[in-house]
Amino acid sequence: MSKPIVAVVGRPNVGKSTLFNHLAGQQISIVKDTPGVTRDRIYAEVSWLDKNFTLIDTGGIEPETKDIILAQMREQAQIAIDTADVIIFITDVRQGLVDADAKVADMLRRSHKPVVLVVNKVDNFEKLMPDVYEFYNLGIGDPIPISAVGKLGIGEMLDEIVKHFPEDTQEDGEDDRPKIAIVGKPNVGKSSIINKMVGEQRVIVSDIAGTTRDAIDTPVVYNGREYVFIDTAGLRRKSKIKEELERYSIIRTVAAVERADVVILVIDATEGVTEQDAKIAGIAHERGKGMIIAVNKWDAIEKNDKTIYEHTQKIKDTLSFMPYAELLFVSAKTGQRLNKIYDMIDMVIESQTMRIPTGVLNEILTEAVAMQQPPSDKGKRLRIYYMTQVAVKPPTFVMFVNDKELTHFSYTRYIENKIREAFGFRGTALRFINRERK
Ligand code: GDP
Ligand code: GDP
């Protein structure tokens, strides 16, 4: 089941980052420490009561003039409308209600998305409450007073947010159509690939603002099987503000990947694999999604008999954290190998949902342990009593061990490799959980 997405929208200086950092707590998104690109946090995982959600900060660059502020806020709001299940609209009691707030509120109201109106910097509820009532004029519901700095009203705000989450519906669980997100940097050819793969079907897609996310999804029938391409409208909409492009592409990626079973990462063959590709791949890896890498524009490069090998090596090096990713060299322009993507999606889905019986799994484990001893520390050796698969999508294994302290990343990797040798699991991440058994 995919996690709900909550997006934060508001003018500069109302306290978006302060609130975001408080809610995000210690969780650090992979974006943060990646050099060269956006340094601030863009998304974070948040838990409140028994609910988990992905929080997205749509705010970006510092604006220079009033005009830019409004244009930027509209972009932010649009991104939130496209991607979020719930939108937090933050205003500032100190600055009061300003014209830009009213304009953005109109936009949000028309979208029919659930909006939680938050009035920040209410550091003293008794004294400042009268100033909060003014925000009723926005016409998007009851203003919720908070102080992001003073950590006041945060619980009430979170209660209001989670109220709007879609119920865990049965329907969602019964929908077994593979959901596919096509992601990648701008201009690598995502839209071109979608266009070719979806063909005529795409005309059906509605582009009216405020249509629900399901309406944006594009179902496609191929070889008698139905596939759903996620969020293609979001892909088509391009930011007018250049600096925002990268932030928005990451936000869209997180939103699309969250709902996908299989992610197709498109890389531009003429440019080669880059750090930014790795960052985007990381979003899918963190979430345990199926992974296909489509190296596009294969028509546009000069090739000899080593070209495929060289590209493969470079990609394996740069994306070394996901050796399981499937690779395909394609061209949206000529259509070369695009149809193979469907077969690959089927194969990856099969891997993601494969269950290995405990008995067979432990034969592999016993053999692996016999071939290479588990690590030891201060005279005490790791013992793995047995393992069992506890989940699919991604396949997740629990290993029962004598002492968790003795487990080591490289040994887990070794076991993972043995499991992959035996069962394949091509195109999907695997998860391992160590549990102590005394
Ligand atoms: P953003 O531009 O919307 O991300 O706003 P920031 O989070 O950077 O906050 C802008 C300024 O408002 C900073 O100086 C914050 O310390 C301050 N600020 C944020 N929240 C509060 C609050 O609850 N009360 C007060 N008094 N100041 C706040
Ligand atoms: P997106 O931003 O990732 O959706 O990329 P687009 O689909 O808009 O493509 C960006 C540019 O690359 C366009 O000018 C396309 O015509 C071009 N392009 C896309 N796929 C291919 C391809 O397979 N071969 C070549 N030569 N050009 C391509």
Side-chain angles (χ1 to χ4, degrees):
M1 183 99 17
S2 65
K3 270 184 289 185
I5 289 179
V6 178
V8 179
V9 174
R11 278 181 297 121
N13 284 317
V14 295
K16 294 186 298 298
S17 319
T18 310
L19 178 66
F20 189 84
N21 288 335
H22 173 54
L23 293 177
Q26 298 308 307
Q27 300 263 16
I28 296 185
S29 86
I30 55 148
V31 174
K32 197 190 171 212
D33 296 318
T34 311
V37 236
T38 327
R39 285 203 161 267
D40 52 343
R41 292 192 205 178
I42 297 178
Y43 64 93
E45 307 308 320
V46 178
S47 300
W48 176 247
L49 309 175
D50 57 343
K51 308 267 204 241
N52 300 310
F53 61 91
T54 298
L55 185 69
I56 286 179
D57 182 3
T58 61
I61 47 160
E62 284 301 309
E64 278 141 32
T65 72
K66 279 246 153 62
D67 287 354
I68 296 184
I69 295 184
L70 187 59
Q72 195 188 332
M73 283 185 72
R74 285 187 193 281
E75 294 270 356
Q76 280 183 22
Q78 191 57 55
I79 283 289
I81 291 165
D82 285 347
T83 55
D85 295 290
V86 181
I87 298 167
I88 311 181
F89 183 38
I90 308 196
T91 57
D92 178 344
V93 77
R94 292 177 170 219
Q95 294 177 50
L97 195 57
V98 305
D99 195 41
D101 287 339
K103 292 206 165 93
V104 172
D106 282 345
M107 224 177 130
L108 295 178
R109 187 179 336 100
R110 281 197 306 269
S111 79
H112 300 293
K113 280 270 160 118
V115 177
V116 175
L117 171 62
V118 170
V119 183
N120 189 31
K121 309 197 187 176
V122 188
D123 301 336
N124 181 330
F125 272 38
E126 241 169 82
K127 205 167 122 230
L128 292 167
M129 256 335 253
D131 298 337
V132 171
Y133 297 123
E134 169 186 23
F135 290 87
Y136 273 105
N137 291 325
L138 288 174
I140 48 171
D142 300 343
I144 298 175
I146 67 159
S147 167
V149 164
K151 316 222 183 327
L152 302 172
I154 308 289
E156 285 78 359
M157 180 193 75
L158 287 166
D159 284 342
E160 192 56 34
I161 291 166
V162 303
K163 251 188 232 165
H164 294 289
F165 287 172
E167 288 294 314
D168 292 353
T169 51
Q170 275 306 107
E171 287 160 51
D172 216 39
E174 279 167 16
D175 181 3
D176 59 358
R177 299 175 302 177
K179 293 189 193 54
I180 300 128
I182 300 199
V183 303
K185 291 182 301 187
N187 288 319
V188 293
K190 298 181 296 297
S191 316
S192 307
I193 289 179
I194 284 193
N195 275 324
K196 268 270 161 68
M197 288 186 73
V198 171
E200 293 300 300
Q201 297 257 3
R202 191 170 151 77
V203 184
I204 303 165
V205 180
S206 155
D207 201 13
I208 305 158
T211 48
T212 65
R213 283 197 321 202
D214 285 348
I216 294 170
D217 292 346
T218 310
V220 175
V221 177
Y222 183 81
N223 269 352
R225 207 173 160 194
E226 204 174 340
Y227 302 81
V228 178
F229 286 85
I230 289 173
D231 196 18
T232 51
L235 287 172
R236 269 175 289 159
R237 190 176 286 111
K238 303 206 168 165
S239 173
K240 283 168 226 80
I241 300 170
K242 243 186 154 187
E243 293 84 343
E244 298 280 78
L245 254 177
E246 188 186 333
R247 184 185 198 91
Y248 288 172
S249 76
I250 288 180
I251 291 172
R252 279 195 283 260
T253 304
V254 171
V257 165
E258 188 66 71
R259 300 175 53 234
D261 299 305
V262 178
V263 174
I264 300 176
L265 171 66
V266 183
I267 290 178
D268 186 335
T270 64
E271 207 186 333
V273 61
T274 66
E275 276 309 310
Q276 206 189 329
D277 294 321
K279 192 166 64 168
I280 296 170
I283 293 170
H285 177 70
E286 278 175 344
R287 287 167 174 70
K289 302 297 180 172
M291 192 70 192
I292 296 170
I293 297 169
V295 184
N296 188 37
K297 309 195 188 179
W298 198 239
D299 61 279
I301 60 165
E302 288 213 22
K303 293 177 275 289
N304 60 35
D305 56 352
K306 291 200 191 71
T307 312
I308 283 212
Y309 173 77
E310 284 161 4
H311 275 261
T312 304
Q313 275 319 107
K314 183 79 203 311
I315 290 166
K316 296 264 173 214
D317 285 351
T318 310
L319 308 181
S320 58
F321 55 90
M322 46 166 52
Y324 53 84
E326 285 293 319
L327 264 176
L328 207 53
F329 297 85
V330 304
S331 166
K333 192 172 171 189
T334 66
Q336 191 188 14
R337 294 195 202 92
L338 283 186
N339 283 347
K340 283 219 158 80
I341 294 183
Y342 286 107
D343 296 335
M344 216 170 239
I345 291 167
D346 291 345
M347 193 234 343
V348 172
I349 296 272
E350 210 169 287
S351 299
Q352 284 183 307
T353 49
M354 185 158 62
R355 284 183 191 274
I356 309 296
T358 303
V360 189
L361 204 52
N362 284 287
E363 279 170 30
I364 302 294
L365 178 68
T366 308
E367 212 174 287
V369 168
M371 275 166 66
Q372 189 174 319
Q373 275 203 330
S376 64
D377 186 40
K378 299 188 188 80
K380 192 176 179 194
R381 188 167 297 283
L382 173 69
R383 290 196 59 191
I384 307 173
Y385 300 115
Y386 74 102
M387 67 192 302
T388 185
Q389 184 177 352
V390 293
V392 294
K393 277 187 165 187
T396 304
F397 303 91
V398 172
M399 291 204 271
F400 292 91
V401 300
N402 59 336
D403 185 349
K404 274 208 285 203
E405 296 285 307
L406 294 169
T407 60
H408 193 275
F409 163 79
S410 62
Y411 199 75
T412 307
R413 198 26 108 68
Y414 164 73
I415 299 287
E416 171 171 356
N417 288 339
K418 289 292 164 196
I419 288 175
R420 286 188 186 279
E421 272 171 33
F423 309 109
F425 283 116
R426 287 171 61 184
T428 181
L430 301 180
R431 289 217 171 116
F432 291 86
I433 299 166
N434 291 301
R435 199 162 286 164
E436 270 177 32
R437 234 192 75 168
K438 302 283 176 200

